[in-house]
Amino acid sequence: MSTKSSSPNDSTPNEGEVLISIRDLHAKAGETPILQGIDLEIRAGEVHAVMGPNGSGKSTLSNVLVGKPGYEITSGEILFRGKNLVDMAPEIRAREGIFLAFQYPVEIPGVANNYFLRTAVNAMRSHRGLDELDGFDFLTILREKMKLVEMPEDMMSRAINEGFSGGEKKRNEILQMLLLEPCFCILDETDSGLDIDALRIVANGINQMRAGERAMLMITHYQRLLDYVVPDHVHVLSGGRIIRSGDKDLALELEARGYGWLENASGASA
Amino acid sequence: MQESKAATANPELERIANQEYQYGFVTDIEEDRADPGLTEDVVRLISSKKNEPGWLLEYRLKAFHRFREMLAAGDSEPTWAKVSYPRIAFDEIVYYSAPKQQKKIESLDELDPELLSTYDKLGISLLEQKRLNGIAVDAVFDSVSVATTFKAELEKQGIIFCSFSEAVHEHPELIRKYLGSVVPYTDNFYACLNAAVFSDGSFAYIPKGVRCPMELSTYFRINAAGTGQFERTLLVADEGAYVSYLEGCTAPQRDENQLHAAVVELIALDRAEIKYSTVQNWYPGNAEGVGGIYNFVTKRGACRGFRSKISWTQVETGSAITWKYPSCLLIGDESVGEFYSVAMTNHRQQADTGTKMIHIGRDTKSTIISKGISAGHAEQSYRGLVRIAPKAKGARNYSQCDSLLMGDQCGAHTFPYLEASNSSATVEHEATTSKISDDQLFFCRQRGMSEEDAISMIVNGFCKEVLRELPMEFAVEAQNLLSVSLEGAVG
């Protein structure tokens, strides 16, 4: 497949359009080879879950997709809506519609949450050729989205994630996703460290975003998030490769039998 | 040549980091200058050029003799600051330089067009300023006041705003009364030097009960090469008066270091308030540390009156070396002193800056908010003294000193000194040091911001508490200045 031009793509994807196409991807984190040949295709409207034991390459996969420094692609390709993703700076990928909900959201002291969010929203808008939102317009949208993740108003004037609980940080990530309206959302262990109530709120936020023009890649250890956000496809990652793909039942089976079951099976077949 | 690893790893950032100093041009203008070196003749020359009265010459000479004594003693330059530089050759400095003007000008129309265009280039149009917004400007070029705007309008309310030289002739009683009353010539080495050779500066007097209707400002411009710059500013707010004063500074780009040793004295009487804001953008030298201004300045305000208030706000981004401690003497009962500072050092810049809050009166209160940002190979120190005198019953101080580091080649240091001699005093000190991390930057980029915008946002967030103290038009300038000075400093 040839690489198309890299002009800004402001069109909304159609349901069924291939958003992400990963072919034989090998990547290193620092000097350590982690991904050993990933093939994955994700279409608009789909929700994929990637599961796997610690060290299987789940976080490396999400970091490579968003272009985090420190990772190197040694072979293979990633196309996003037909464009070569590897050549794009992280902020361009973000503006083109790729969003990562971080596993460990960072704190930025001194920078108010609402100011940060407006700056981010306006960076996206100007990339898409839209007018920047002023304070009032932004606040109207912000309030509406905050309700969806049951976020109290005072969290907006506080510094980004500073002094937030684990659950508040994750809700803040989902709020950013709701505001930025990306077409491809990666959720990196968004369920980790959440109590039952926070999990329900976060899942609710994610479900709000489920749409025909959007795809999601959820990285998780556990079935419990998948009870709320039911995936269309489930992939099991082990040793930097996808060793099994299936539907939602695969996740249930994994929960019952553990990763060892598949790892042994794949070891035998490899 | 030593290149920082961080900068070479990121060419985009390096490009921005190496952005030219915007105000580095030189104005070609005929100067009237003294021979290099400091002698009694030079002091007499300065005084006679300005046609000064005998008492002022006497004051200068006392300071001059004191200065020679200190110089002869050998260990006279302050060495306690955490800055390093070769010894200054005081005999090679030119102590008087002024743009040559044929006669005293009556209006701005008579001002040398070269001077007008210089201020235009700096974004301080003296003519436009006069018509547009409510800021009165005293333009000081090579230590000589070349123009003061809005004088007549201010006079209607009894406000005096003019060059220091002019004030010596027009209002000798005020100058005699207040000159050296807050910073005596014996105070320190550089203040002493200034008292001997100061050339000009600004003077303002706000009479009883008058709220100055516009911002007063002095725009300092160093132009001449090989000269030292010694201005003197004196502001007096009489009972119940209020004034907000702004100070801006730029200088041409030169390979030599130039000494700038100014003195600022503020006096606030009963219930008077002075707000003094500085955006200091002297030429900082190049990335390898060649050239730049040595900014060795003494600024002090005396809250003499009951419930008087003096507030210093400074944004220090320029100079090769900054040595500066705007301070408050809280003499009047219930008087208030404030110090808000953002100091930014990049490349090889050094800054040792802070404040002194001297609580003398009862129930005096002081606040210190200091934000230091250090990048490249820069070294920066906060140095602050809070002294509670025995009679300062109920005195209160709150200090907060935050440092932000960029990269791993720079340094930030905090030296808080506290001397409390009254047990009813309350003193609080908080300090933090943080770093812009790669994770923070990546987080911002993942949300669609460019790296520059992310840095600018984080830094402005870090400085917010100080920047909001600046008058509006200055705040915008300061934010832009910080962005330009800082970007590219991270790795």
Side-chain angles (χ1 to χ4, degrees):
Chain A
M1 192 192 273
S2 69
T3 306
K4 289 181 196 163
S5 81
S6 60
S7 60
N9 196 338
D10 51 8
S11 66
T12 308
N14 297 314
E15 184 158 5
E17 178 188 329
V18 176
L19 289 184
I20 283 278
S21 168
I22 302 173
R23 283 169 205 278
D24 194 29
L25 183 67
H26 289 70
K28 294 195 287 192
E31 289 305 308
T32 317
I34 306 284
L35 301 184
Q36 317 265 21
I38 301 269
D39 289 282
L40 184 60
E41 194 168 86
I42 300 177
R43 292 169 185 272
E46 296 176 347
V47 173
H48 290 240
V50 170
M51 305 181 76
N54 290 328
S56 58
K58 301 190 302 295
S59 285
T60 298
L61 177 61
S62 62
N63 286 333
V64 165
L65 286 171
V66 293
K68 186 171 181 176
Y71 296 86
E72 192 197 332
I73 293 175
T74 47
S75 66
E77 66 171 9
I78 310 171
L79 300 179
F80 176 66
R81 305 190 74 185
K83 286 188 238 174
N84 186 0
L85 197 63
V86 182
D87 296 340
M88 286 186 214
E91 57 270 37
I92 303 299
R93 300 182 197 203
R95 292 173 201 164
E96 290 276 310
I98 299 180
F99 179 92
L100 171 64
F102 287 84
Q103 185 180 0
Y104 304 108
V106 296
E107 301 182 0
I108 307 183
V111 179
N113 218 0
N114 52 7
Y115 177 70
F116 171 81
L117 293 174
R118 181 149 72 96
T119 307
V121 166
N122 282 334
M124 301 292 182
R125 289 181 67 93
S126 59
H127 183 72
R128 291 170 194 169
L130 300 169
D131 288 339
E132 298 197 349
L133 292 176
D134 66 24
F136 284 110
D137 291 343
F138 176 71
L139 204 60
T140 311
I141 298 170
L142 178 63
R143 287 217 170 98
E144 174 198 319
K145 304 289 186 190
M146 280 168 67
K147 274 187 212 139
L148 297 175
V149 284
E150 300 178 31
M151 191 91 104
E153 190 112 342
D154 72 294
M155 274 171 73
M156 284 303 113
S157 47
R158 281 159 59 189
I160 303 163
N161 293 328
E162 201 181 32
F164 285 24
S165 70
E168 285 171 334
K169 284 181 183 173
K170 294 293 173 78
R171 268 147 70 186
N172 206 19
E173 293 291 294
I174 300 302
L175 176 66
Q176 288 161 40
M177 184 169 81
L178 291 165
L179 281 165
L180 298 174
E181 301 184 322
C183 62
F184 180 54
C185 312
I186 306 163
L187 299 139
D188 191 2
E189 302 202 19
T190 297
D191 53 340
S192 66
L194 295 184
D195 62 29
I196 302 289
D197 290 333
L199 182 67
R200 180 187 49 78
I201 293 167
V202 162
N204 189 36
I206 297 170
N207 282 326
Q208 292 281 343
M209 289 293 283
R210 258 186 115 145
E213 74 264 19
R214 183 172 291 125
M216 294 194 184
L217 179 65
M218 294 193 295
I219 289 169
T220 181
H221 271 295
Y222 307 107
Q223 166 64 31
R224 59 177 203 158
L225 177 63
L226 307 182
D227 289 339
Y228 292 94
V229 186
V230 180
D232 302 303
H233 302 275
V234 174
H235 312 279
V236 180
L237 201 59
S238 176
R241 309 177 65 162
I242 293 175
I243 55 168
R244 179 74 67 95
S245 295
D247 63 10
K248 62 180 167 42
D249 295 334
L250 177 58
L252 292 168
E253 201 170 351
L254 271 177
E255 185 87 345
R257 301 177 65 175
Y259 291 119
W261 153 63
L262 278 177
E263 279 175 328
N264 295 338
S266 86
S269 69
Chain B
M1 197 174 75
Q2 255 188 306
E3 286 265 2
S4 104
K5 233 177 168 181
T8 36
N10 194 330
E12 168 68 4
L13 288 183
E14 188 172 22
R15 185 187 63 76
I16 298 159
N18 296 335
Q19 245 170 359
E20 296 279 305
Y21 178 71
Q22 210 182 331
Y23 306 105
F25 63 90
V26 179
T27 305
D28 187 13
I29 198 158
E30 219 182 322
E31 299 161 14
D32 187 5
R33 61 194 283 158
D35 290 331
L38 183 55
T39 60
E40 187 168 325
D41 284 348
V42 168
V43 176
R44 287 181 183 277
L45 173 82
I46 294 169
S47 191
S48 77
K49 283 270 181 203
K50 304 192 156 292
N51 205 11
E52 283 174 358
W55 57 266
L56 191 51
L57 174 61
E58 231 166 86
Y59 180 79
R60 287 179 181 276
L61 288 174
K62 275 196 285 184
F64 167 73
H65 291 300
R66 169 81 182 163
F67 183 75
R68 295 301 319 183
E69 277 168 38
M70 285 199 269
L71 211 53
D75 58 349
S76 43
E77 278 177 71
T79 50
W80 41 262
K82 195 171 165 44
V83 294
S84 62
Y85 55 95
R87 282 203 91 104
I88 296 172
F90 288 95
D91 282 328
E92 287 168 18
I93 294 173
V94 173
Y95 289 88
Y96 181 76
S97 165
K100 218 172 228 173
Q101 269 182 12
Q102 301 312 315
K103 58 182 175 70
K104 194 174 183 307
I105 58 162
E106 296 302 324
S107 83
L108 286 171
D109 304 337
E110 296 170 36
L111 195 65
D112 189 322
E114 274 294 323
L115 283 175
L116 276 181
S117 80
T118 297
Y119 282 89
D120 272 343
K121 274 197 256 180
L122 296 170
I124 315 282
S125 173
L126 297 174
L127 299 178
E128 189 187 49
Q129 201 84 26
K130 195 169 164 130
R131 288 189 213 104
L132 281 175
N133 51 24
I135 304 178
V137 181
D138 184 22
V140 176
F141 189 88
D142 283 343
S143 305
V144 175
S145 170
V146 291
T148 310
T149 64
F150 282 113
K151 263 164 78 170
E153 265 180 84
L154 292 167
E155 267 166 28
K156 284 179 200 155
Q157 302 204 44
I159 297 167
I160 303 166
F161 180 46
C162 63
S163 74
F164 201 93
S165 305
E166 200 177 330
V168 167
H169 294 286
E170 308 288 325
H171 310 282
E173 69 296 342
L174 288 171
I175 301 291
R176 278 191 94 157
K177 185 168 176 189
Y178 292 111
L179 173 69
S181 72
V182 185
V183 181
Y185 70 85
T186 50
D187 189 81
N188 68 70
F189 187 76
Y190 295 110
C192 184
L193 175 61
N194 176 286
V197 300
F198 72 88
S199 35
D200 210 336
S202 302
F203 173 76
Y205 171 79
I206 321 297
K208 266 182 205 176
V210 172
R211 197 181 161 85
C212 187
M214 59 181 85
E215 310 272 353
L216 302 186
S217 81
T218 303
Y219 197 90
F220 292 105
R221 172 72 180 170
I222 295 179
N223 187 64
T227 60
Q229 300 288 322
F230 310 96
E231 315 96 13
R232 223 168 156 106
T233 302
L234 178 58
L235 303 185
V236 182
D238 212 325
E239 288 170 28
Y242 168 85
V243 62
S244 170
Y245 194 89
L246 320 175
E247 180 196 85
C249 333
T250 57
Q253 200 160 330
R254 296 187 194 283
D255 291 343
E256 56 178 315
N257 294 109
Q258 273 179 288
L259 175 63
H260 174 253
V263 170
V264 175
E265 296 178 280
L266 313 182
I267 293 119
L269 301 182
D270 279 0
R271 293 187 164 86
E273 181 177 347
I274 301 174
K275 195 169 163 51
Y276 195 103
S277 311
T278 304
V279 172
Q280 185 264 105
N281 187 23
W282 296 121
Y283 177 56
N286 70 11
E288 279 76 46
V290 177
I293 303 292
Y294 290 168
N295 192 35
F296 300 159
V297 170
T298 306
K299 292 184 167 181
R300 194 174 303 154
C303 286
R304 297 236 170 111
F306 175 70
R307 283 197 189 158
S308 53
K309 178 176 175 183
I310 290 178
S311 181
W312 297 99
T313 306
Q314 61 172 22
V315 175
E316 303 280 318
T317 62
S319 298
I321 302 177
T322 296
W323 177 95
K324 180 181 166 187
Y325 315 90
S327 304
C328 296
L329 303 173
L330 303 172
I331 301 162
D333 289 346
E334 297 181 36
S335 60
V336 176
E338 292 173 341
F339 174 74
Y340 300 99
S341 170
V342 170
M344 198 328 272
T345 46
N346 196 359
H347 301 308
R348 304 272 169 180
Q349 282 178 282
Q350 305 174 64
D352 192 300
T353 184
T355 184
K356 290 190 276 187
M357 291 291 174
I358 313 296
H359 292 254
I360 297 162
R362 263 191 310 103
D363 297 313
T364 46
K365 201 167 91 181
S366 64
T367 304
I368 299 171
I369 308 282
S370 164
K371 304 279 180 176
I373 303 150
S374 209
H377 291 76
E379 286 290 332
Q380 187 173 130
S381 305
Y382 166 81
R383 189 180 302 278
L385 167 67
V386 176
R387 178 183 293 154
I388 314 283
K391 287 180 183 165
K393 206 169 141 253
R396 279 181 293 160
N397 163 266
Y398 173 74
S399 303
Q400 185 190 326
C401 304
D402 300 322
S403 305
L404 187 66
L405 299 173
M406 299 196 191
D408 49 12
Q409 309 282 317
C410 55
H413 317 272
T414 304
F415 303 100
Y417 303 89
L418 169 65
E419 299 167 13
S421 312
N422 187 303
S423 59
S424 68
T426 314
V427 179
E428 285 177 71
H429 180 90
E430 286 178 28
T432 65
T433 301
S434 53
K435 214 181 143 173
I436 295 188
S437 70
D438 292 346
D439 282 348
Q440 286 174 334
L441 285 180
F442 182 69
F443 173 63
C444 295
R445 294 177 78 188
Q446 215 303 303
R447 297 302 182 250
M449 294 172 212
S450 67
E451 195 155 28
E452 294 117 81
D453 288 348
I455 293 167
S456 179
M457 182 186 71
I458 294 170
V459 166
N460 278 304
F462 176 74
C463 302
K464 198 167 52 190
E465 286 160 284
V466 173
L467 296 179
R468 72 173 172 223
E469 295 296 326
L470 287 172
M472 190 64 93
E473 53 285 323
F474 245 35
V476 174
E477 188 189 330
Q479 281 195 14
N480 293 337
L481 195 56
L482 284 173
S483 303
V484 170
S485 311
L486 278 173
E487 283 162 6
V490 167

